[in-house]
Amino acid sequence: PLMNLPRLFSVGSIDGVEFSCLFDTGAATNLLSERVYNKIPNPPPIIPAAYSFRTAAGTQLDVIGRALCSFTIANHTTLTPFYIVRSLVGAALLGMPYLTQAGVIIHAATHEIEFANDERIIAQTSATADVDSVEPTSPTHYDCSVSTVCSVETQPPVTRATLPTSVRIPPCTGQLVEA
């Protein structure tokens, strides 16, 4: 099933603040979490959003607005528009606007990302995210991965769990690994 396919991540930065970025060829825009935006020492101004967005699952995103950021990834810096989103599960999502602007070529079989400046990186297939809170979506399911709900089996089933502030989630294994 599609949920078990690896997703490609790399580390990007804005004004020295590093964060994990998901490459998403199905996304119509670039998204940045409010958490990351608030860490930028001199953040660019936020312009009110003219559009609303939904996830692939149809959930409405809580968009604060749009900011034009000097974004760097793999020695490639561009002035990139990001929509700032409250409660975005991951740190950032690089959609088709960035991928076309940067001339990105994705070699899915090797997880290699190639940029127009001939820089190449090997993308990660999992990401580390800061977790402010974890809420169960059912007694045995937790929002536990960037844009994916993974199953967490417990015996006996629990209705609430306390996790460390930072966790690393392997892609769709259903196992939590403390970072």
Side-chain angles (χ1 to χ4, degrees), residues 48-86:
Y51 307 100
S52 63
F53 297 98
R54 293 187 179 277
T55 67
T59 306
Q60 181 80 30
L61 291 173
D62 188 2
V63 176
I64 299 167
R66 194 185 93 158
L68 200 54
C69 303
S70 180
F71 172 68
T72 302
I73 190 168
N75 299 319
H76 188 268
T77 301
T78 57
L79 201 54
T80 304
F82 281 96
Y83 283 89
I84 312 305
V85 179
R86 279 188 193 92

Side-chain angles (χ1 to χ4, degrees), residues 61-139:
L61 291 173
D62 188 2
V63 176
I64 299 167
R66 194 185 93 158
L68 200 54
C69 303
S70 180
F71 172 68
T72 302
I73 190 168
N75 299 319
H76 188 268
T77 301
T78 57
L79 201 54
T80 304
F82 281 96
Y83 283 89
I84 312 305
V85 179
R86 279 188 193 92
S87 304
L88 188 65
V89 175
L93 184 143
L94 302 175
M96 287 307 293
Y98 174 79
L99 300 177
T100 54
Q101 175 189 15
V104 169
I105 298 171
I106 298 174
H107 301 279
T110 60
H111 300 166
E112 189 176 51
I113 308 293
E114 182 179 343
F115 292 85
N117 66 354
D118 292 327
E119 185 78 27
R120 291 174 181 244
I121 60 172
I122 302 297
Q124 301 165 258
T125 57
S126 63
T128 301
D130 289 333
V131 178
D132 298 323
S133 65
V134 176
E135 293 296 325
T137 55
S138 78

